[in-house]
Amino acid sequence: MTACAIEPSADPGDGGAPLVGCSITAEGAYAARLARSGGGAGAAWYPERWTLDGPEPYAVPLPGNQPEEPGTEVQPMGDGRVLVHRVAAGRHLFALLYPTGPGTGELPLGAVECPADSTGMRLLPPVPGGERAYALAAGPRATVLWRIAGGAFGPERVAEIPGRCSGGAWLDRTGRMLAVDRETGGRTKAVVVDLERDGEVSPLLQIAPDSDDRLLLADPDSGLVLIGSDAPSPGRERLGWGVLGSTLPVRFPECLRMPDCVVTPFAVQPGQVLTPERCAVALRVDGAFGSWVGVWRPAERQVRHLPAPEGWLTGAGLWTPDGELRLPCSTPRSPCGVARLVAPDTADAGGADRADGAGGAGGTDGAGHTNGAGGTGGAAGTGGTDGERPGNPEAATPGEPGDGPGAADTPAAAQPRPVPLQQAPLARLVTK
């Protein structure tokens, strides 16, 4: 079976991953997108804000004094305003838009110069709470983290991170811990930036010394993280999952491998504080016949494939705590709509309870094998005492759901097994 490519987030128009149709606040109250008026050569782009937390969704157009460029970034804030990121004359321009009577009010926030050797600047995902907004400006040797909104004096430099950074996911509900994918020495590893410690950087993922390990999505409530790594299949990135603070290594379920597809996780069910294995994960699946929605839980051995609703703003959506997936849609008949899909709950409740426990240090896994805490990648590579085949994250402990064959199927290999997330420094800073 051919492994899917797991694509990272990309700047608008760079030809990388499929672009998200809109951006949604962390709490799901507002969304923003670029809408298009007219057709043909006379078509024009303008920002549009959606309100999602009322009885019915509705859209408010926010056209400025001139049409927007197709690559303009828009992001909703927690108070209903919309942050706009424009590029003009070698400068990144930021402003907040808001409805005012029949027109659009605009509050300029300032500009950031584009260095000659910069590879671009892009907004990070919406911050929990919606009061602040951040952006990454990546250079050839270092990346600058900027606070765009929520500061006292417009755009402010927060930290300079060695290496070229991409991606971005918030690991807590306060907007303190930011995970980014950092490329140094030809390898990409996810690191965490502590915004309350002047941008202090510490490792997050170290599955194997020579692997590329990226964080694709994180749920602050349960600690569930979705990971893209080529550790189990060198040269081929695969989709895996883990839990912050767990004593078990990252796992790469066979059901997440699909032939000739691009799989992108875009939403995790919140509120499952003690049961990360039951969190529903929404997947965007792109294949030869278009895009559709996949729904998967770590406790399950299968992905449920669902047709994309008509007009889906592809790649955008959010879960409610009770398991309803909401997908924003726009069609000529219904320019502002939300399709609601209810994911069937897992029937293997016992397997979910066995899969990872509460993630405490020094606990036991579902087969009764001890998973020791602490140590380094080299130390973790010896033995295989937790029932996993060293060097193969696919091999699950007997009795664990959805992660491939057990260690008893093959003899132990010489390669080190993946380092559990519990051994990363962040596991001691972030609690469930």
Side-chain angles (χ1 to χ4, degrees):
M1 178 180 291
T2 303
C4 292
I6 312 296
E7 298 291 348
S9 301
D11 295 331
D14 73 348
L19 292 176
V20 173
C22 73
S23 175
I24 305 175
T25 57
E27 291 73 25
Y30 295 102
R33 67 160 186 155
L34 276 186
R36 196 173 187 181
S37 63
W45 296 93
Y46 63 91
E48 186 177 72
R49 186 200 72 193
W50 289 27
T51 299
L52 303 176
D53 61 350
E56 294 291 338
Y58 66 92
V60 175
L62 297 172
N65 296 326
Q66 60 185 28
E68 304 288 349
E69 295 294 327
T72 297
E73 287 188 288
V74 295
Q75 185 173 114
M77 304 295 291
D79 59 5
R81 294 184 293 181
V82 173
L83 175 64
V84 177
H85 171 206
R86 307 177 177 113
V87 180
R91 306 173 74 207
H92 296 270
L93 308 174
F94 299 93
L96 288 172
L97 305 181
Y98 54 93
T100 170
T104 301
E106 181 167 331
L107 175 63
L109 295 177
V112 176
E113 297 289 339
C114 300
D117 59 354
S118 173
T119 57
M121 189 174 191
R122 62 174 186 80
L123 294 174
L124 286 169
V127 183
E131 298 177 354
R132 293 169 288 154
Y134 292 87
L136 286 178
R141 291 174 298 277
T143 299
V144 178
L145 174 65
W146 290 85
R147 179 168 53 226
I148 303 302
F153 307 104
E156 303 174 45
R157 288 174 65 106
V158 175
E160 183 170 316
I161 308 167
R164 187 178 186 275
C165 296
S166 60
W170 298 99
L171 303 180
D172 63 346
R173 289 292 180 188
T174 66
R176 171 181 173 177
M177 295 294 187
L178 170 67
V180 296
D181 303 322
R182 179 175 67 174
E183 180 185 349
T184 56
R187 294 295 177 189
T188 300
K189 302 287 186 181
V191 299
V192 61
V193 182
D194 190 339
L195 302 187
E196 290 190 5
R197 293 188 177 180
D198 299 322
E200 179 182 272
V201 178
S202 58
L204 176 60
L205 289 178
Q206 177 71 29
I207 298 180
D210 58 350
S211 62
D212 291 320
D213 310 317
R214 297 184 297 108
L215 182 67
L216 305 179
L217 203 61
D219 174 49
D221 294 335
S222 64
L224 178 67
V225 291
L226 279 298
I227 293 162
S229 174
D230 62 356
S233 304
R236 296 181 179 178
E237 190 167 75
R238 289 186 55 184
L239 186 61
W241 70 280
V243 181
L244 293 175
S246 172
T247 59
L248 296 181
V250 175
R251 281 154 283 180
F252 297 83
E254 184 70 22
C255 65
L256 295 180
R257 302 178 69 187
M258 305 176 200
D260 305 319
C261 295
V262 175
V263 180
T264 308
F266 64 89
V268 179
Q269 181 183 0
Q272 313 302 303
V273 178
L274 299 178
T275 55
E277 301 81 14
R278 297 191 185 188
C279 289
V281 179
L283 309 169
R284 169 180 174 174
V285 186
D286 295 280
F289 299 101
S291 301
W292 63 94
V293 179
V295 175
W296 168 80
R297 286 184 173 88
E300 296 182 341
R301 295 177 180 269
Q302 63 178 332
V303 176
R304 303 175 190 272
H305 296 272
L306 307 172
E310 182 183 2
W312 180 33
L313 303 182
T314 310
L318 73 153
W319 288 99
T320 63
D322 58 356
E324 183 180 73
L325 178 60
R326 298 180 178 179
L327 304 176
C329 305
S330 180
T331 66
R333 298 188 306 275
S334 179
C336 177
V338 174
R340 291 173 165 84
L341 305 175
V342 177
D345 199 0
T346 175
D348 187 14
D353 294 336
R354 292 192 305 266
D356 203 346
T364 59
D365 60 20
H369 298 91
T370 301
N371 293 282
T376 62
T382 60
T385 57
D386 63 350
E388 297 234 348
R389 188 175 66 205
N392 183 4
E394 179 81 23
T397 306
E400 289 185 349
D403 294 314
D409 297 336
T410 59
Q415 298 177 347
R417 69 174 174 82
V419 177
L421 288 176
Q422 194 276 338
Q423 297 176 6
L426 179 67
R428 302 180 182 93
L429 299 177
V430 176
T431 58
K432 293 184 177 65

